[in-house]
Amino acid sequence: MAPKKKEEPKPAAAPKPPEPEPPKEPEFDPKEVQIEFTAEQIEDFKDSFQLFDRTPTNEMKITYAQCGDLIRALGQNPTNAEVMHVLGKPKAEDMNSKMLDFDTFLPMYQHICKAKDRGTFEDFVEGLRVFDKEGNGTVMGAELRHVLATLGEKMKEVEVEQLMTGQEDANGCINYEAFVKHIMAG
Amino acid sequence: MPGIVVRAQFSELQSVFFPCQHSASFSVPAMRAALLIQRWYRQYVARLEMRRRCTWNIFQSMEYAGEQNQIKLYKFFSYLMDHFTPASSERNLIAHIFRENEVCRDAEWERYFNYKNIEVPEFYSGPHLNFPLTATNATELVEAFRTKQQLHSRYVLQLLVETWKLLRILPNINHVSTCHSKEITICGDLHGHLEDLLLVFYKNGLPSMETPYVFNGDFVDRGKNSMEILLILFAFLLVYPNDVHLNRGNHEDHIVNLRYGFTKEVLGKYRVHGKKILKLLQKIYSWLPLASVIDQKVLILHGGISDTTDLDIIAKVDRHRYVSTLRPPKQRKSSAKNKQSDQDSWDEDNMTRRRVRSMTYSSPGVSRPEVQRHSLQTLSSQVEEELRERRRRAGFSLSHGDLHNSLSSDSDSDPGENLETDAEDWKQVVDMLWSDPMPIDGCVPNEVRGGGCYWGPDITREVLEKHNLQLLIRSHECKQEGYEFCHNRKVLTIFSASNYYEVGSNRGAYIRLGPDLVPHLIQYQASRSTRDLTLRQSVGRTERSALRALREQLFAHKSDLISAFQEFDPEQTGLISLNHWATAMESVLQLGLPWRMLRSQLVNHTQDGKLNYQSWFKELAIMEPNTQLAHTNLLETLYKHHSNLETIFRIIDTDNSGLISFEEFRQTWRLLSSHLQIDISDEAISDLAQSIDFNKDGSIDINEFMEAFRLVDRTQQERSNSTLSGVHPHLLQSEHPTKTLLVSASPHFV
């Protein structure tokens, strides 16, 4: 599979403006993370970790690029920026070649789990309501596509397509409560 | 390989860093909303990916466990032949397995495969072939197969004979060039999926001088049109010998075909001449080239490479000596003393056996009469131990050095040199057809499959450098997208059988390569209905199929599993913790699956975090076997090993009648039970044989027998009656379907 691009492209010849981003976070230090999982939970995580391990000799190692996927598969939903943060902001070329073992992964995952409010069903619906121009429980599919592809941590066209398949009605509208249930049931 | 970089538009970049500026209509809440949706979407995809991977894992580990299983069986027979003289009735059985091509001159072979006497009847409505074949013939053949016609056996044999003659003059390595500005198309495993081949031809064009092709092995097995695929490929090979190139795969092997369906397909389609066709195919397989090289820069072979791969050696091997890559070739010279000792039924295979013996015997100078003879009945666990040791030394995991040492210790043998080259050559061939890449450096034996190696990026670098190559294209592993790059894009896996594990499980793909040698990939999926499924629906469907297959395995190992559970339950409460459940599952099934993840799919009810294992088995909705067959644990055992059983049956059914006698059944079972170290009384076997002789004529129908030992989901059966249509009438008990012998919905790869 082609590697997913996780980093934002660097700006081309633009003059450097003041950073609009939130204040810089301190570097991630795994040693400062207190592991609060039970032994049982850790065994469960190991199973999932192993699923991503492609070494035939079962070395329990995954690539940096897979880290984000694994964290999400286990039930969290960090932003790409948060993932890069716990990985220690690796270089693009390292993403597919550098590997980490389970003990390195665990504190990263714990840190993400401890992060503030992840967003509930209501938050999600609220977020979509922003685009509900007519206040009737639907958003325009086209607008949603545009937003997802141009704002925040942009999605690729093929990803947007995958997300929206079968969600729009004949008028190109999406009932967003149903949409959210669809996403969260995954 | 140069990548193609697309520069991001400046305006897009602005929208990331200055969202407010760029899209004045979008406020901060909108931004936050977008981010939230994106995060959730990514989680959704990751969870689906996890499920997909899990499912994949299930299918793949069962597939490879099956391969490993077969190799073990084969090695066991090999060992038996060398060291034990079974009771005379069983001797023939084993000899059969190794009755490979008798040493014969080609002219004799041509007489044997004489198709001229075979008449094509008037009413035959299938395609007619004229030789030498023309492009029109080949095209008509494709069209005929597309409309589900079957080629008459006379034409089949004729086509195969012509193919054989051509292959004999081809070198081990096809050298192909893209001069004349030609783009070359490369296809991976097809595995009898005719619809995929037709799709490729439709999208890409039929093979011709303008459209050259390389087909990278594994044309047969598993799918149900392996014969048609072979015939099409061979036809185009004959018409365009300079533009169509075939590489041998690990399934171009008659031993593998016994287990994975091709033999069955041929015997089913060609009842009269099937055996001859199979025999001829054995020869053809051994004459298939081993690799292709494009413009001296791109290497194409089926499996892969190892740290000892050397194209110069490969170019010189006698490839036709490797009739089955699972077995070392017959030795070139034989020593006279060995021949006299046991002349009766072993004669043809003397040379081969001596060769195998020399690798497995540690004490030199022991001539055959002194070998201690055991009858099969008295085999004990020390056989397994010895065998393990022999396997370790005689098997694929042998390093070159070890092999040389064990060979030279046999003083009976000719000077080590011939044996050494033989062993080296054999390893080259096996590695090429069986190896898989791995992400870490090094080269280790491929224990999962039982043959070849796992090789790392450093080996790729070395081998490519040694031969001044820039890319390695291989197949052998199913990939979800039909292809996958690895080793820093120096290795490209291409797989052309879509829906391989299950409808919707994966796409197929092929490569177009022009003079710039940059691979362009085209993907497809044969079944229209799956394209419209959402990702989750597609994943779900494959998942259900995998879980069904897995549940069958659970049934097959029920007694072992219950014993393992009981070890964790010394107080016999009937309950075990979920943790122990997972550990026990892996220790019995040894499939390397993530049981904790699968737990939610396999276990419905727990009491305080514990599982009641007896009732769990009932919940799996696997049918209980017919109580008429009293020995239910025997049934389970038979089910577990039914693939092996089928393989052996097909070997002994020499006249392809589909029937075997009770005696043959008993012999087979005795052989298998010594391999598996099961203790089953003769009486139990006899009883079983009699009860499955449905028409009471003293013989057992192989297909009927195999049908009887497959499982169905109780819930599925209630839903669809179509399952029952596959049942032999004898197996049905009128009003109560639940009392029937087990009837199948199992996937075909088992």
Side-chain angles (χ1 to χ4, degrees):
Chain A
M1 283 194 289
K4 290 198 191 139
K5 283 202 82 115
K6 299 237 185 275
E7 286 194 322
E8 312 299 344
K10 303 228 183 312
K16 271 220 181 284
E19 285 272 297
E21 301 300 313
K24 276 196 153 60
E25 291 172 85
E27 296 248 331
F28 175 68
D29 183 4
K31 292 193 262 319
E32 285 189 14
V33 179
Q34 185 86 298
I35 304 289
E36 288 167 13
F37 299 121
T38 66
E40 177 98 28
Q41 283 174 306
I42 293 182
E43 286 302 309
D44 283 353
F45 301 155
K46 273 194 185 152
D47 246 18
S48 306
F49 188 89
Q50 201 160 16
L51 208 53
F52 281 78
D53 169 20
R54 310 265 291 281
T55 60
T57 42
N58 236 347
E59 303 210 343
M60 287 287 272
K61 287 204 175 112
I62 61 173
T63 61
Y64 270 50
Q66 292 174 300
C67 228
D69 290 336
L70 181 53
I71 292 175
R72 291 174 174 120
L74 288 171
Q76 300 303 309
N77 58 354
T79 58
N80 286 337
E82 286 166 342
V83 173
M84 294 310 256
H85 175 69
V86 296
L87 282 174
K89 302 223 175 36
K91 300 191 274 272
E93 53 266 25
D94 286 344
M95 291 301 280
N96 276 319
S97 50
K98 266 182 100 172
M99 304 191 93
L100 61 145
D101 61 14
F102 184 72
D103 293 328
T104 313
F105 172 76
L106 197 57
M108 294 177 180
Y109 183 61
Q110 178 75 83
H111 178 82
I112 302 264
C113 284
K114 283 200 184 143
K116 309 181 298 291
D117 169 50
R118 304 316 303 166
T120 58
F121 176 82
E122 284 72 33
D123 289 328
F124 203 168
V125 174
E126 276 308 306
L128 279 161
R129 192 162 288 142
V130 167
F131 304 106
D132 181 0
K133 297 261 162 41
E134 291 166 33
N136 60 358
T138 66
V139 297
M140 287 296 296
E143 177 157 1
L144 193 54
R145 280 166 202 270
H146 179 65
V147 163
L148 293 176
T150 52
L151 298 187
E153 289 181 338
K154 304 182 301 178
M155 282 164 60
K156 299 205 250 338
E157 199 181 305
V158 66
E159 294 178 312
V160 176
E161 221 21 76
Q162 222 169 49
L163 177 63
M164 310 280 267
T165 305
Q167 300 299 314
E168 287 160 297
D169 65 18
N171 299 324
C173 292
I174 299 180
N175 175 320
Y176 49 85
E177 274 200 42
F179 181 64
V180 170
K181 288 205 177 99
H182 162 70
I183 301 289
M184 290 179 80
Chain B
M1 209 67 3
I4 302 173
V5 176
V6 173
R7 291 210 153 177
Q9 295 282 15
F10 183 58
S11 54
E12 277 179 39
L13 295 171
Q14 273 194 308
S15 77
V16 171
F17 287 92
F18 317 106
C20 306
Q21 247 182 297
H22 171 74
S23 345
S25 53
F26 293 121
S27 57
V28 171
M31 280 290 307
R32 267 212 293 269
L35 246 124
L36 193 55
I37 299 170
Q38 286 156 347
R39 271 166 42 202
W40 276 107
Y41 166 75
R42 294 193 164 105
Q43 190 204 57
Y44 164 74
V45 167
R47 293 186 83 131
L48 273 181
E49 172 60 17
M50 183 71 101
R51 279 170 64 189
R52 192 204 61 78
R53 234 174 237 270
C54 206
T55 303
W56 201 260
N57 231 5
I58 294 175
F59 276 128
Q60 212 167 50
S61 53
M62 290 176 76
E63 175 181 357
Y64 297 165
E67 280 180 359
Q68 200 195 102
N69 204 348
Q70 182 176 29
I71 292 180
K72 281 190 198 157
L73 181 72
Y74 195 59
K75 284 188 181 165
F76 174 72
F77 285 135
S78 200
Y79 177 68
L80 268 188
M81 273 211 348
D82 280 2
H83 297 104
F84 299 93
T85 309
S88 57
S89 56
E90 282 141 359
R91 196 187 283 173
N92 288 331
L93 233 57
I94 309 183
H96 256 305
I97 297 164
F98 297 104
R99 194 184 301 277
E100 291 174 355
N101 303 314
E102 288 89 28
V103 179
C104 238
R105 273 188 257 293
D106 287 339
E108 291 175 41
W109 279 119
E110 295 205 28
R111 268 201 297 282
Y112 176 67
F113 292 127
N114 191 357
Y115 49 82
K116 299 196 177 113
N117 315 333
I118 305 178
E119 282 216 17
V120 179
E122 289 271 323
F123 57 79
Y124 168 71
S125 58
H128 293 267
L129 298 181
N130 303 307
F131 289 83
L133 273 186
T134 62
T136 317
N137 282 146
T139 313
E140 279 169 1
L141 200 58
V142 174
E143 190 51 33
F145 290 152
R146 197 178 66 76
T147 52
K148 312 225 191 297
Q149 295 170 51
Q150 186 170 302
L151 186 65
H152 194 273
S153 48
R154 182 218 165 90
Y155 295 129
V156 172
L157 283 168
Q158 195 169 4
L159 178 56
L160 293 181
V161 167
E162 293 303 313
T163 305
W164 173 45
K165 286 185 191 160
L166 171 57
L167 288 176
R168 273 176 350 196
I169 59 179
L170 293 181
N172 294 344
I173 302 180
N174 295 312
H175 286 277
V176 189
S177 100
T178 58
C179 70
H180 317 305
S181 318
K182 285 198 273 205
E183 277 201 344
I184 300 185
T185 309
I186 300 149
C187 286
D189 292 24
L190 287 165
H191 280 301
H193 285 218
L194 182 60
E195 62 276 14
D196 285 309
L197 184 59
L198 294 177
L199 193 47
V200 173
F201 285 163
Y202 178 71
K203 287 169 91 80
N204 194 56
L206 290 173
S208 67
M209 296 204 301
E210 297 74 43
T211 318
Y213 275 82
V214 175
F215 292 96
N216 200 15
D218 277 13
F219 317 122
V220 301
D221 278 334
R222 302 189 199 276
K224 51 187 178 57
N225 292 107
S226 302
M227 194 68 230
E228 283 71 37
I229 292 202
L230 276 187
L231 293 171
I232 292 176
L233 296 183
F234 292 157
F236 280 106
L237 176 69
L238 288 172
V239 178
Y240 298 109
N242 295 317
D243 301 293
V244 173
H245 308 276
L246 306 179
N247 290 343
R248 188 177 183 183
N250 63 310
H251 277 260
E252 276 70 61
D253 181 325
H254 69 113
I255 302 287
V256 178
N257 292 160
L258 280 168
R259 188 190 184 89
Y260 288 101
F262 182 47
T263 308
K264 189 169 169 175
E265 180 189 324
V266 174
L267 297 176
K269 286 177 177 168
Y270 296 99
R271 292 186 178 274
V272 178
H273 296 104
K275 204 173 140 218
K276 241 184 216 183
I277 293 175
L278 287 171
K279 202 85 188 158
L280 187 42
L281 280 170
Q282 264 183 48
K283 293 193 78 58
I284 287 178
Y285 287 159
S286 68
W287 278 107
L288 283 169
L290 299 171
S292 301
V293 177
I294 301 187
D295 289 352
Q296 294 163 348
K297 285 278 164 218
V298 177
L299 173 62
I300 310 176
L301 37 72
H302 177 73
I305 54 178
S306 74
D307 52 355
T308 53
T309 295
D310 186 335
L311 292 180
D312 299 322
I313 297 182
I314 290 169
K316 299 200 198 98
V317 305
D318 283 336
R319 69 179 191 271
H320 68 101
R321 293 171 63 223
Y322 306 95
V323 177
S324 164
T325 53
L326 292 180
R327 193 166 160 72
K330 291 188 206 239
Q331 211 218 333
R332 270 177 260 256
K333 300 184 186 154
S334 68
S335 151
K337 340 181 222 178
N338 270 2
K339 275 218 158 141
Q340 78 205 18
S341 54
D342 198 0
Q343 276 161 348
D344 36 344
S345 63
W346 303 106
D347 25 60
E348 295 140 356
D349 289 297
N350 238 337
M351 302 196 298
T352 332
R353 271 179 302 112
R354 194 185 152 278
R355 165 101 178 82
V356 174
R357 174 181 152 241
S358 67
M359 291 210 296
T360 58
Y361 237 79
S362 57
S363 50
V366 178
S367 58
R368 289 210 70 86
E370 267 112 80
V371 173
Q372 200 185 4
R373 297 188 174 202
H374 303 263
S375 90
L376 219 45
Q377 251 83 2
T378 60
L379 281 178
S380 65
S381 58
Q382 69 181 165
V383 171
E384 258 316 297
E385 257 170 57
E386 269 191 56
L387 188 54
R388 230 169 270 141
E389 173 64 14
R390 288 340 183 236
R391 277 182 203 156
R392 192 186 63 74
R393 285 203 276 126
F396 298 102
S397 55
L398 214 46
S399 78
H400 181 66
D402 289 347
L403 191 54
H404 186 226
N405 290 337
S406 67
L407 288 175
S408 53
S409 70
D410 187 334
S411 64
D412 261 354
S413 64
D414 272 85
E417 203 185 294
N418 274 333
L419 294 173
E420 187 177 315
T421 356
D422 277 357
E424 204 178 278
D425 287 355
W426 179 47
K427 184 177 194 295
Q428 294 280 341
V429 176
V430 171
D431 287 342
M432 281 173 74
L433 265 44
W434 285 85
S435 301
D436 292 313
M438 64 174 177
I440 52 178
D441 283 348
C443 189
V444 298
N446 190 331
E447 316 239 285
V448 171
R449 290 205 201 241
C453 306
Y454 279 115
W455 88 90
D458 55 339
I459 308 287
T460 299
R461 250 192 326 270
E462 277 166 33
V463 172
L464 290 184
E465 228 172 73
K466 175 156 75 173
H467 298 288
N468 209 6
L469 300 162
Q470 67 189 48
L471 175 65
L472 169 62
I473 297 178
R474 44 90 64 175
S475 302
H476 198 40
E477 283 180 300
C478 183
K479 296 292 177 191
Q480 205 201 358
E481 295 298 317
Y483 73 95
E484 190 174 273
F485 280 100
C486 68
H487 292 191
N488 206 18
R489 293 182 79 93
K490 292 285 182 199
V491 174
L492 172 55
T493 302
I494 186 76
F495 195 83
S496 301
S498 68
N499 307 324
Y500 180 62
Y501 289 127
E502 165 63 71
V503 174
S505 67
N506 65 291
R507 292 186 158 124
Y510 60 90
I511 307 172
R512 293 272 303 193
L513 204 66
D516 61 355
L517 299 181
V518 173
H520 295 272
L521 289 140
I522 298 98
Q523 297 169 295
Y524 53 85
Q525 195 150 19
S527 164
R528 183 178 295 276
S529 60
T530 59
R531 279 199 289 274
D532 300 331
L533 291 178
T534 65
L535 187 56
R536 192 204 277 135
Q537 284 172 323
S538 170
V539 170
R541 191 169 172 171
T542 318
E543 195 176 46
R544 275 193 293 280
S545 181
L547 288 171
R548 201 159 46 228
L550 193 55
R551 279 196 280 264
E552 291 174 7
Q553 284 297 300
L554 298 185
F555 175 80
H557 291 86
K558 183 172 167 180
S559 313
D560 290 339
L561 282 170
I562 301 242
S563 315
F565 293 152
Q566 282 168 340
E567 278 183 42
F568 285 112
D569 180 24
E571 284 146 43
Q572 312 230 357
T573 58
L575 301 171
I576 49 166
S577 75
L578 292 171
N579 237 356
H580 287 156
W581 174 85
T583 313
M585 295 289 275
E586 183 53 30
S587 73
V588 171
L589 292 166
Q590 306 214 339
L591 288 170
L593 292 176
W595 295 107
R596 288 178 183 81
M597 289 184 63
L598 290 169
R599 196 177 54 215
S600 57
Q601 311 269 27
L602 294 170
V603 175
N604 288 330
H605 304 302
T606 55
Q607 299 167 221
D608 306 316
K610 290 198 169 226
L611 170 71
N612 180 325
Y613 46 91
Q614 296 282 8
S615 61
W616 174 61
F617 264 107
K618 292 208 180 73
E619 267 179 19
L620 282 178
I622 301 289
M623 264 218 261
E624 291 301 320
N626 189 322
T627 48
Q628 271 192 354
L629 295 180
H631 313 278
T632 50
N633 65 328
L634 175 58
L635 206 70
E636 182 189 314
T637 312
L638 278 169
Y639 178 71
K640 200 191 308 196
H641 302 286
H642 72 275
S643 295
N644 280 342
L645 266 180
E646 184 171 0
T647 306
I648 304 173
F649 286 159
R650 297 212 178 277
I651 296 172
I652 61 183
D653 177 22
T654 53
D655 57 0
N656 304 323
S657 57
L659 299 172
I660 53 171
S661 69
F662 279 5
E663 183 49 38
E664 287 169 329
F665 179 76
R666 270 195 286 273
Q667 286 169 31
T668 304
W669 189 250
R670 268 208 289 278
L671 268 178
L672 197 55
S673 59
S674 63
H675 167 53
L676 301 169
Q677 310 239 268
I678 314 164
D679 189 26
I680 297 194
S681 70
D682 269 358
E683 199 192 325
I685 304 268
S686 293
D687 281 352
L688 181 65
Q690 296 203 332
S691 63
I692 55 185
D693 171 21
F694 300 113
N695 43 13
K696 304 290 173 231
D697 62 355
S699 63
I700 296 169
D701 181 311
I702 299 178
N703 285 326
E704 244 182 47
F705 178 71
M706 296 316 298
E707 256 329 290
F709 292 98
R710 293 156 95 193
L711 303 176
V712 79
D713 216 328
R714 197 189 277 135
T715 54
Q716 254 235 329
Q717 201 206 25
E718 272 149 21
R719 246 180 262 148
S720 67
N721 279 322
S722 55
T723 337
L724 291 177
S725 60
V727 182
H728 193 285
H730 286 137
L731 300 180
L732 278 178
Q733 311 251 314
S734 43
E735 335 86 59
H736 298 290
T738 49
K739 286 229 184 89
T740 348
L741 272 184
L742 317 167
V743 163
S744 158
S746 64
H748 57 87
F749 66 83
V750 166

